[in-house]
Amino acid sequence: MTQRKYFGTDGIRGRVGEFPITPEFVLKLGWAMGRVLGAKPGSRVVVGKDTRISGYMFESALEAGLSAAGVDTLLVGPMPTPAVAYLTRAFRAQAGIVISASHNPYYDNGVKFFSAEGKKLPDEIELAIEAELEKTLITVAPDKLGKAARIDDAVGRYVEFCKGSIPADMSLKGLKIVVDCANGASYHIAPKVFAELGAEVITLFNEPDGLNINEACGATNVTVLQQTVLAEKADLGVALDGDGDRVIMIDHLGEKIDGDQILFIIVRQRQAIGKLVGGVVGTLMSNLGMEVALRELNIPFERANVGDRYVMERLEKLGWQYGGESSGHVICLNRTTTGAGIVAALQVLTVMQQTEQDLHSLQQHMPMYPQVMINVEVKDKSVLTNNAQINAAVGEAEKILGERGRVLLRPSGTEPVVRVMVEGEELATIEAVAKTLSDVVRSVV
């Protein structure tokens, strides 16, 4: 496949003010996107953003670029990434664009795209956009310029969509839920969804100021949420990330329920009521406990590369509906077209109601195997390719662990390190195996 110059696994991302996350580049990116769409009469794109201060600048740049290409823009303001995917379909737009760096700090930002179907763009479209970026920006004739309109009821539309993802007769009355909005794109949506369904809602981190997105809060840091669930004697907690596509949950005892556990809870119940289609797609980092628990239920399981894009590709190829990552991306294709934190949390609440079990009881059906990760600094990450010494060490480690353990050596996509991950039933064993393996990698490099 042709190497991408700008696009990563989830759009284009980086530090604000440093190429390519500059207003000049983003303006041209909007133009290139418009060109690829063909700028047919009536072409329009939904543009949403999270709560970073730089979102104002990049929203204006995208709008200008799309207009120069003759494409109309529908501005929806701060909205979760999955909301933009939904609204793209609802408005029959040709594409959706989200200005967000997801769980990263405020000084990063990025641009990611959805197709007219509300799915990640196919490779050929991304490559076509990159080809246009190499050309000189030419503005269409003045009478063909694109217009912009602001959609005032976008929040209400997505709130109703989320509520519609659970049975119509289901109420959350009697539940006390703490919701951590990460000072991000869900701040004005998530509390409404749970409250309108009848829950008593205690909201945390829902006062974004442009700089506090993901700061010691949200799906990447649930400490305050855990403390609040215990202090308020709440039934559970829900933590979203900055753009609302990830979710981590907290049970009434303050224990963290990650993406693997959330996925398992949903899938186990779908099988129990006879509505599970196919199996489950996880990633190379998915906990072995989920694989073992699914095997015991005779539910097929496959691992994709790390990244929700790869999970989605595998799901579509297999015709399955459920997949995700331990980080909290949970994809329910029978409900929506992408990872959606609020929707995934609502599916868990549905299981709680159907089974009359609390979240703590539900998570106990899947054992979490301990994982040990050691990062080994390397100059050349290709050291893992066909190295006899490393291969022999991995083989020896796999013999020690047997079927109840797993070894993964993976070069980082963003740092000059090789990640040595060992997983198994006994912590002492996997710690020893991980140390031995990392020592071998270190000696080779």
Side-chain angles (χ1 to χ4, degrees):
M1 190 178 73
T2 308
Q3 185 68 37
R4 293 178 184 82
K5 186 174 178 181
Y6 304 111
F7 281 89
T9 56
D10 197 15
I12 301 169
R13 190 182 296 184
R15 193 168 181 117
V16 174
E18 296 178 7
F19 188 84
I21 308 302
T22 64
E24 299 95 330
F25 179 85
V26 172
L27 186 149
K28 195 167 185 187
L29 182 62
W31 173 81
M33 176 71 162
R35 293 267 294 184
V36 169
L37 291 176
K40 297 170 187 165
S43 288
R44 54 187 185 171
V45 172
V46 173
V47 175
K49 60 182 180 179
D50 64 22
T51 55
R52 291 159 216 273
I53 192 167
S54 58
Y56 295 101
M57 176 171 70
F58 294 127
E59 181 184 57
S60 298
L62 278 172
E63 181 190 329
L66 288 162
S67 176
V71 175
D72 292 344
T73 306
L74 301 179
L75 299 164
V76 297
M79 291 294 286
T81 290
V84 174
Y86 161 70
L87 291 166
T88 300
R89 288 182 292 134
F91 282 106
R92 305 302 190 266
Q94 277 60 55
I97 303 178
V98 185
I99 304 160
S100 174
S102 191
H103 57 281
N104 288 26
Y106 79 91
Y107 48 74
D108 291 335
N109 215 332
V111 183
K112 44 190 173 183
F113 301 89
F114 288 107
S115 68
E117 295 78 38
K119 299 177 181 178
K120 297 285 173 75
L121 286 186
D123 295 338
E124 59 269 22
I125 299 295
E126 289 187 352
L127 290 168
I129 292 170
E130 292 206 346
E132 289 297 323
L133 283 166
E134 301 303 315
K135 298 177 183 176
T136 302
L137 191 155
I138 301 171
T139 305
V140 298
D143 62 328
K144 299 287 192 292
L145 289 168
K147 299 174 184 176
R150 194 160 287 281
I151 307 302
D152 294 325
D153 63 347
V155 170
R157 285 171 178 261
Y158 191 59
V159 167
E160 290 305 311
F161 172 76
C162 290
K163 287 159 58 181
S165 72
I166 62 173
D169 59 351
M170 182 176 147
S171 166
L172 302 182
K173 198 167 181 184
L175 284 178
K176 185 191 276 194
I177 301 174
V178 185
V179 182
D180 177 347
C181 302
N183 289 318
S186 305
Y187 79 97
H188 53 333
I189 291 175
K192 274 189 178 146
V193 171
F194 296 109
E196 289 185 17
L197 288 169
E200 178 187 345
V201 178
I202 297 163
T203 309
L204 300 175
F205 304 107
N206 67 324
E207 297 181 0
D209 62 10
L211 308 176
N212 59 4
I213 187 170
N214 300 312
E215 187 178 27
C217 60
T220 55
N221 189 333
V222 294
T223 305
V224 175
L225 178 60
Q226 289 171 307
Q227 292 167 347
T228 308
V229 167
L230 292 172
E232 296 285 347
K233 294 185 170 53
D235 294 286
L236 64 131
V238 175
L240 303 161
D241 70 339
D243 73 328
D245 61 356
R246 291 188 188 191
V247 63
I248 299 291
M249 299 181 78
I250 306 297
D251 68 21
H252 72 285
L253 298 179
E255 293 182 14
K256 177 180 170 182
I257 315 296
D258 76 2
D260 290 341
Q261 294 166 295
I262 290 169
L263 184 56
F264 180 79
I265 288 168
I266 296 168
V267 168
R268 179 175 178 271
Q269 178 65 5
R270 295 298 289 177
Q271 185 196 49
I273 61 175
K275 291 188 176 177
L276 179 63
V277 175
V280 174
V281 175
T283 73
L284 296 173
M285 300 304 292
S286 295
N287 194 278
L288 183 60
M290 179 167 72
E291 183 175 345
V292 170
L294 289 171
R295 190 187 305 143
E296 288 171 357
L297 292 172
N298 294 315
I299 296 174
F301 176 73
E302 289 208 6
R303 292 182 186 271
N305 286 329
V306 174
D308 62 328
R309 175 196 188 96
Y310 301 115
V311 173
M312 182 69 76
E313 284 175 1
R314 197 79 195 122
L315 284 173
E316 291 187 331
K317 187 168 184 180
L318 293 166
W320 296 353
Q321 294 180 333
Y322 291 95
E325 300 187 274
S326 54
S327 60
H329 283 125
V330 178
I331 300 168
C332 307
L333 290 183
N334 63 326
R335 298 285 179 251
T336 185
T337 60
T338 188
I342 297 170
V343 170
L346 287 171
Q347 306 318 299
V348 173
L349 286 159
T350 303
V351 177
M352 288 172 60
Q353 195 155 104
Q354 289 173 343
T355 61
E356 298 183 349
Q357 292 185 59
D358 60 34
L359 186 53
H360 182 74
S361 302
L362 289 172
Q363 62 101 355
Q364 291 184 308
H365 295 292
M366 177 188 135
M368 285 290 280
Y369 280 39
Q371 276 184 351
V372 172
M373 176 101 72
I374 299 175
N375 290 333
V376 181
E377 287 191 21
V378 295
K379 287 193 175 113
D380 180 7
K381 288 184 268 192
S382 66
V383 67
L384 293 182
T385 310
N386 297 323
N387 182 281
Q389 199 176 340
I390 292 175
N391 289 347
V394 169
E396 191 58 37
E398 288 174 341
K399 273 189 206 168
I400 293 168
L401 297 169
E403 285 192 3
R404 293 278 173 166
R406 193 168 66 95
V407 174
L408 177 67
L409 269 62
R410 187 173 72 91
S412 166
T414 56
E415 301 171 74
V417 299
V418 166
R419 305 197 195 283
V420 177
M421 192 276 284
V422 181
E423 197 173 32
E425 288 182 305
E426 295 177 4
L427 182 59
T429 302
I430 65 170
E431 283 178 338
V433 169
K435 184 180 183 308
T436 302
L437 260 180
S438 59
D439 286 346
V440 170
V441 174
R442 205 171 280 113
S443 70
V444 169
V445 301

